[in-house]
Each structure stands twice: as C-alpha cells, then as structure tokens.
Amino acid sequence: MSKCGRKKYIKTNLRQMTMEIDSQQDGSIPDSVAESESAHMQMQTGQNSIPTLAQVATIAETDESAESESVIDFHKRREILSRRPSYRKILNELSSDVPGVPKIEEEKSEEEGTSPNIAAMAVPTSIYQTSTGQYNEETELAPSHISATTGDMPTYQIRAPTTALPQGVVMAASPGSLHSPQQLAEEATRKRELRLMKNREAAKECRRRKKEYVKCLESRVAVLEVQNKKLIEELETLKDIYSPKTD
DNA sequence: CATTGTGCACGTCAAGCGGG
DNA sequence: CCCGCTTGACGTGCACAATG
C-alpha cells in the first residue's frame, strides 16, 4: 500500500467511524461500512487485494459472524451512504430561491468558445445585492472557464465530444448477428469497455464542472464579504450621523 | 536521504434521476 | 421500464514539501 493510500484509508475510516456513531445514535444497527463493498469492488476490478483498515478491523471484530451479515451490511451501508443532492441541484435550487442566482447550464455552452465566460468570471464584483435583497448581475456564477484564467489545465479543450466514440473503440457487428457464446462474450466485453470509457470521460467532465462550481462559490464568498464589510461601514457611518450627541 | 504527510487527478462502481 | 448520464464514494498513484 502506498503512503498516500494509507492516509486516505485513515481519512476514509474517520468518516466511516463518524457514520457508525451517527447510525448508533439513530438507534440503527452500526454499519461495518466499507469492508464488504471494498472487497467486492476490489474483486471486481482486480485491484490489489490488500484489505482496507475498515476491512481489517471488521474482520478482527466479527470474524465468524461477518460472512452471514456481510450482505446485510452492504445494504445498510448503502442506505447510510445515501446520496446528498448534487452540487448542481443545490445551486439550481438556490437559484430558484434567489432570483438573481443563475443556474449551472447543461453542457453545450462549454464547447461553444470560452472567452465570453472568462470575462464574466474575471469580474466577480458584478455581483450586487440591492437593499431589498435582490441580486443584480451575478454573472460570476455562470459556468465559465475560470481555469483558463487561473492557469489550470484547460481540460475542456481536450475533452472528447460526448457523442463521439472514443478512439480505439471498434463497433462490433450488430447483436442480431451474434451466435456463439464466444461472440456474446466479446460483445459483453466490448460493451463494458465502452461503458467504462464513457464513464471515464464523464467523470473527468464532472470533476471539471465541480471545480468550476467551487470556484464560483469562492468568488461569491469573496464578493459577499466585501459587500458585508461595506454595509457594516455604512451602518457605522449612519450611526455616527444619527446618534444623539451627548456633548 | 529516507520517510512521512498532503494534495491532486484519475479510474471505477453504483445510486439516483430524467427522458424516451 | 429501460437506458444513459451525472456524481458521490472509494481506492490508487504520483509529485512535492516537510521532517528526522
């Protein structure tokens, strides 16, 4: 196991321990967490067979009973690990509450040139909240290519078109023409590889979007902090003006 | 200089969701 | 209901900095 791997295991297991505590507080059965799925995944993916800390701990603790309960644990863990709303959904919900907050657009825009959005992103002060609480010109939240301005890898430029087949993927004959088990197996393998390749690209794209989202939030925080500071100063000024002079 | 810690990007799995 | 997309979670490897 790599050093980094060890660190991540620790980090992961801290979170898992927290979840166990939470589930105990809820009165639900403590989850033995990652062990079953990790093992499951490693078996599937053929990755190294070194057990995780959680696996080791669980093996040590439960040993005999673990086997019969592993399936149950797996499902319980899945329940506990139920997904939070996606960041995009959060932002979109936010945008419906606050009229001025733009939504993260679906794909398309990123293929169609980058420069306009860079300009928008580079001017975070375009955010302005009126005295009535409305936001004006919050262009900085629009999905943009901050990475281009900050020197990050412009991954969107390398990005393979989502609709196009990746290089190296050879289309097999139509399923109707498959007969032998071997052909079926090949077809299954081909489908799997295609799926993995697509998901690989999707994951990259997803991460890129998430980074954008985080940067948007950060710039928003910066803007709101400035705004807050100004308002506090204004308040102090008004207090000075309108407070009764005692002298 | 070896070891350890940290951050980041990546590949994969699986759950959830929306569209057809 | 099925399929494809999106994304959280997990595990891994690599690069680099800090430390003894």
Side-chain angles (χ1 to χ4, degrees), chain A residues 109-121 143-149 154 156-157 208 212:
Chain A
S109 64
E110 46 201 277
E111 255 107 35
E112 304 164 352
T114 57
S115 47
N117 284 334
I118 295 174
M121 195 56 217
S144 54
H145 300 91
I146 317 158
S147 48
T149 61
Y156 48 88
Q157 290 178 353
R208 188 192 62 77
E212 266 184 18

Side-chain angles (χ1 to χ4, degrees), chain A residues 59-77:
Chain A
I59 290 168
E61 282 172 17
T62 57
D63 213 1
E64 303 95 18
S65 59
E67 283 182 30
S68 59
E69 291 174 3
S70 61
V71 177
I72 301 171
D73 283 345
F74 174 79
H75 290 297
K76 286 196 156 69
R77 177 172 178 273

Side-chain angles (χ1 to χ4, degrees), chain A residues 42-66:
Chain A
Q42 283 172 1
M43 281 175 62
Q44 280 188 328
T45 58
Q47 291 169 349
N48 74 49
S49 57
I50 300 170
T52 64
L53 291 181
Q55 281 178 273
V56 172
T58 308
I59 290 168
E61 282 172 17
T62 57
D63 213 1
E64 303 95 18
S65 59

